[in-house]
Amino acid sequence: MTNDGPAPKRSPRFHGRVENSGRLCDAEGCFGDGEFRAPNTDGRRPGFDGPGDWRWYCLDHIRAFNGGYNFFAGMTTDEIEAAQRPLAGWERETRAFSATPAGTPKWADFVDPLDAIGAKFAARMPRARADGRALSDTDRRALKTLELDVDSDRRALRARYAELVRRYHPDRNGGDRSHETALQAVITAYTHLKGAAAFA
């Protein structure tokens, strides 16, 4: 029985495969597709000055290459020891931790890499109220609905509620009921916040 349908697609399960690149395998005498990139051991190695030179291999030849590849070839003893240190590479800044006007932390400011990661996410934490009263996630969503700052008090809350009700109520819009969803969201947010501990 013959199958006249399209050829089955090869599995994409191999990490690093670049399909349909149009390259041929660089192994001598091989006419397979060059879908896997490997450093050119005779050329410039990847490093600070750029990505280096690459060769492209088919699956069988990349497996053979990986089996015999020595990352440390050509390095001095000191360079090998430096590359094998537990924190090797942490001193180098990445884009996410580069110095910026926004004050993003730099790797060099921390001894422990986990402290640097924690500091990055601490900068994204929501701002606390000046009076120290805690806000729940629901409180913060309600404040966002009312377009209020986290330090707003009960008076600001009532004033903003009155303003938004006037804006969205059908009686103020010639009977137009297209803002009813927004009005309901404002009422729900205000009802929640006026009973919240932060606004007691």
Side-chain angles (χ1 to χ4, degrees):
M1 180 175 181
T2 60
N3 183 2
D4 294 332
K9 188 172 180 175
R10 280 175 293 185
S11 170
R13 74 180 186 274
F14 297 107
H15 177 72
R17 169 176 265 164
V18 180
E19 296 187 81
N20 304 318
S21 65
R23 298 181 188 91
L24 288 178
C25 178
D26 284 328
E28 190 174 337
C30 181
F31 296 99
D33 293 333
E35 298 178 312
F36 298 92
R37 187 176 68 171
N40 186 353
T41 53
D42 301 328
R44 184 167 53 89
R45 292 181 65 131
F48 180 79
D49 293 327
D53 299 321
W54 303 100
R55 300 195 71 187
W56 292 86
Y57 294 112
C58 65
L59 181 59
D60 290 335
H61 285 112
I62 196 65
R63 284 176 169 160
F65 175 87
N66 288 341
Y69 181 67
N70 180 2
F71 175 80
F72 302 108
M75 291 187 183
T76 66
T77 303
D78 290 339
E79 289 172 333
I80 292 172
E81 286 177 1
Q84 291 179 327
R85 285 183 307 110
L87 299 179
W90 284 101
E91 305 89 352
R92 191 171 59 245
E93 283 186 5
T94 60
R95 183 179 304 156
F97 286 92
S98 61
T100 64
T104 306
K106 300 192 316 188
W107 287 118
D109 295 339
F110 303 92
V111 174
D112 185 343
L114 292 178
D115 290 341
I117 293 169
K120 179 179 184 218
F121 288 101
R124 296 183 182 174
M125 291 297 288
R127 186 168 63 85
R129 285 177 61 96
D131 60 13
R133 293 182 178 181
L135 290 171
S136 69
D137 289 342
T138 308
D139 295 344
R140 290 180 185 279
R141 284 194 296 272
L143 285 169
K144 187 174 181 181
T145 299
L146 297 178
E147 301 171 15
L148 285 172
D149 186 71
V150 293
D151 289 321
S152 300
D153 58 11
R154 284 187 74 87
R155 197 159 98 190
L157 182 63
R158 282 193 300 269
R160 186 67 175 153
Y161 172 70
E163 177 191 344
L164 291 175
V165 167
R166 284 194 299 272
R167 181 189 302 174
Y168 296 132
H169 200 283
D171 292 347
R172 289 294 192 115
N173 291 289
D176 180 7
R177 305 178 75 88
S178 64
H179 303 291
E180 280 188 337
T181 303
L183 177 62
Q184 187 57 50
V186 166
I187 294 169
T188 302
Y190 175 72
T191 303
H192 169 78
L193 288 174
K194 72 177 183 178
F199 294 91

